[in-house]
Amino acid sequence: MVYVASDERYEVMRYNRCGKSGLKLPAISLGLWHNFGGIDTYENGRDMITRAFDLGITHFDLANNYGPPAGSAEELFGKVLARDLAPYRDEMVISTKAGYYMWPGPYGEWGSRKYVLASLDQSLKRLGVEYVDIFYSHRPDPETPLEETMLALDHTVRSGKALYIGLSSYSAEQTTEAVAILKELGTPLLIHQPSYSMLDRWIEGGLQDVLEENGIGSIAFMPLAQGLLTNKYLNGIPEGSRAAKPATALSESRITPEVQRKIRALNQLAASRGQSLAQLALAWTLRGGKITSALIGASRVSQIEENIAALTYTEFTHEELERIETILKTENDV
């Protein structure tokens, strides 16, 4: 059946300006880190992508290594784009990244010019597009000079293969240095993609100030702490969940009694607001306007629908914010 986008797709979503740029991003974006790879079902991936677009999610975030196997998330998205979303390409922001391991040998990861530019060319082929809207350095390279990586990013814009550039997981100090280099090159840094959630607040220690001072947007990945800030782990570790599987980024050891106490208390607060824990967590991430977009993952359409519903209630009272701080700081029963 031929896909036709909903006429109501822009009625619910909120769009925020990305720093001081002219680009706006949806308050909630869809990341294809998990559940869109070659081991996953194409039909489910397609359903999630098209439903997200129908609900106003115009930004789809990928990376060269997303899958598994690496590269397969870009391939799946490329198929959906070609078969269903091609007429809407100019309504979409597609991003990808380079930085993690992709192929054997000394040129298959990190931040050298050779790797960065080769990786983008491969990503464009897998996606079936001539350019991406945002291209990121996925992680800082401790051995390659920062100037080399930034020159490579600058080249992607000048060559027409990317419209904007971003950084992911760079520290406040590294970001400050990168901003200065890019300003001198004449290609400003658009956006930073850090991890950020109620349980991971490292960016409040300086990075957010750097971004605000330089007019740079931010998109938070893992705002639900890989599922910890949902109802999934309120009563332990369910069989078949991500934490129950070996060799995943969310290890069972992270779900300590202290963390469980916190998420149960947060869940009670969410219920008093008429929200799910996930909706509370997303609303909190977007509070105050410092975060341009919260980047969600999903394994089924209903999760996307639930997460977008968080935008119907994003305001907090002073008392609610104080209660959240108390819950997050305590190590005792709450």
Side-chain angles (χ1 to χ4, degrees), residues 220-239:
F221 75 88
M222 295 197 302
L224 302 181
Q226 293 189 293
L228 281 177
L229 293 170
T230 69
N231 62 6
K232 185 177 295 184
Y233 299 104
L234 291 173
N235 299 304
I237 303 174
E239 185 178 348

Side-chain angles (χ1 to χ4, degrees), residues 240-308:
S241 65
R242 185 181 300 177
K245 299 176 182 178
T248 63
L250 178 60
S251 65
E252 186 174 343
S253 63
R254 285 186 58 194
I255 309 176
T256 63
E258 178 189 343
V259 167
Q260 284 199 311
R261 284 192 293 268
K262 290 178 179 180
I263 62 177
R264 286 169 184 159
L266 291 169
N267 187 58
Q268 291 176 355
L269 176 59
S272 72
R273 287 167 50 90
Q275 291 181 309
S276 68
L277 176 54
Q279 290 168 343
L280 172 76
L282 290 170
W284 181 89
T285 298
L286 294 166
R287 77 198 185 288
K290 288 189 174 183
I291 298 293
T292 310
S293 183
L295 185 60
I296 64 167
S299 60
R300 56 186 182 273
V301 167
S302 61
Q303 291 175 334
I304 298 172
E305 294 170 340
E306 176 191 349
N307 290 340
I308 290 179

Side-chain angles (χ1 to χ4, degrees), residues 120-264:
L120 178 54
D121 283 343
Q122 292 180 18
S123 290
L124 294 177
K125 289 178 182 177
R126 286 190 290 265
L127 290 165
V129 296
E130 295 181 352
Y131 70 93
V132 291
D133 297 276
I134 306 172
F135 183 56
Y136 288 89
S137 172
H138 206 166
R139 60 174 174 171
D141 184 340
E143 296 184 349
T144 298
L146 187 61
E147 290 86 349
E148 179 175 339
T149 305
M150 295 306 105
L151 274 164
L153 293 180
D154 171 73
H155 178 79
T156 67
V157 173
R158 296 186 185 280
S159 65
K161 295 178 181 180
L163 301 186
Y164 301 93
I165 54 175
L167 305 178
S168 181
S169 301
Y170 279 57
S171 69
E173 295 75 19
Q174 291 166 329
T175 302
T176 298
E177 188 178 353
V179 167
I181 295 169
L182 290 168
K183 279 184 178 178
E184 196 167 314
L185 292 171
T187 300
L189 179 64
L190 172 80
I191 192 168
H192 193 297
Q193 184 176 135
S195 61
Y196 183 56
S197 72
M198 287 178 167
L199 302 178
D200 178 15
R201 301 174 65 171
W202 71 274
I203 68 173
E204 296 174 8
L207 179 61
Q208 277 192 324
D209 293 335
V210 170
L211 301 181
E212 188 171 4
E213 289 167 5
N214 290 280
I216 299 165
S218 60
I219 178 168
F221 75 88
M222 295 197 302
L224 302 181
Q226 293 189 293
L228 281 177
L229 293 170
T230 69
N231 62 6
K232 185 177 295 184
Y233 299 104
L234 291 173
N235 299 304
I237 303 174
E239 185 178 348
S241 65
R242 185 181 300 177
K245 299 176 182 178
T248 63
L250 178 60
S251 65
E252 186 174 343
S253 63
R254 285 186 58 194
I255 309 176
T256 63
E258 178 189 343
V259 167
Q260 284 199 311
R261 284 192 293 268
K262 290 178 179 180
I263 62 177
R264 286 169 184 159

